[in-house]
Amino acid sequence: ESILINDLKDLLNVKDNLFNDISVSDSTSQNILKDIPKWVIKGDFVRKQNDLIISHKTDGSKIIFEDYYSNYSLFDIFTENGLFLKSSVITSLAGPLIRGKYAQADSSEILSIGEVSQITGDVTSFGSDGIQKKLKVGSQVFQSDVIETSGKGSVGITFIDKTTLSLSDNGRMVLDELVYNSSTGTGSMSVDMIEGAFSFISGEIAKPGPGSMEISTPVATVGI
């Protein structure tokens, strides 16, 4: 079963035998889509032309946001149980219009922001170009990568400023940004945790103040 949302500017009441009544609204001043089903946090995000499609991982149902990418300012999502996904995270989760299936050999022009220092089970990264690869110890990670752990999998990453971050089983996170000047010890870092338990030890970037490093979740943002 599918829910088609074909006008993001209007308040729509959509009936579906899986979700009963779903109210999808937009605050035009803030570009927020409200009351979206809570399962989207764990859903599969895909871009198809200008549409955003979020699919349930188990029952096959989906929500189609028609012409989502036609808007100059993309919409954030606020679920019915109070979880928040900002548009930049949605864009990373959905990937590009044309997604690659396998890792390319030549990534010499792209600077790594860290590498995998510990891994258990299956862990996958999805690059900003849509290319996916299985991670192993020593694998490099890059800005805008989406990292997912499957089943009992877990991963530990050491970043270029010596920040270490671990993500537990059935987790998902987006490595939003890491800019670091090793000569001055300054920079900025932001990571979005979508699901799963995590732990970290901050490195050089966090030392100047709480504005330098941020960990965001669907319920809160923490300055480190």
Side-chain angles (χ1 to χ4, degrees), residues 41-147:
I41 291 290
K42 297 179 178 292
D44 288 325
F45 290 66
V46 174
R47 177 179 180 178
K48 186 176 182 180
Q49 301 304 323
N50 284 327
D51 298 343
L52 170 66
I53 303 173
I54 308 178
S55 303
H56 199 291
K57 287 188 175 182
T58 56
D59 66 18
S61 58
K62 63 180 66 175
I63 302 176
I64 303 171
F65 297 91
E66 194 169 76
D67 291 328
Y68 177 86
Y69 291 97
S70 297
N71 296 280
Y72 176 76
S73 180
L74 297 181
F75 288 76
D76 302 324
I77 282 178
F78 199 75
T79 68
E80 58 193 354
N81 63 332
L83 302 180
F84 179 73
L85 283 179
K86 57 189 177 184
S87 60
S88 60
V89 172
I90 294 169
T91 299
S92 294
L93 293 176
L97 183 58
I98 300 175
R99 308 180 78 173
K101 293 184 178 180
Y102 304 102
Q104 300 296 320
D106 185 13
S107 59
S108 57
E109 296 182 1
I110 304 174
L111 296 178
S112 167
I113 60 172
E115 69 175 39
V116 175
S117 54
Q118 175 274 328
I119 200 164
T120 301
D122 291 331
V123 182
T124 305
S125 73
F126 299 84
S128 58
D129 53 5
I131 294 172
Q132 74 177 71
K133 61 181 180 181
K134 294 291 185 182
L135 296 181
K136 58 184 179 181
V137 173
S139 293
Q140 294 182 325
V141 296
F142 303 88
Q143 188 163 297
S144 299
D145 277 0
V146 177
I147 310 295

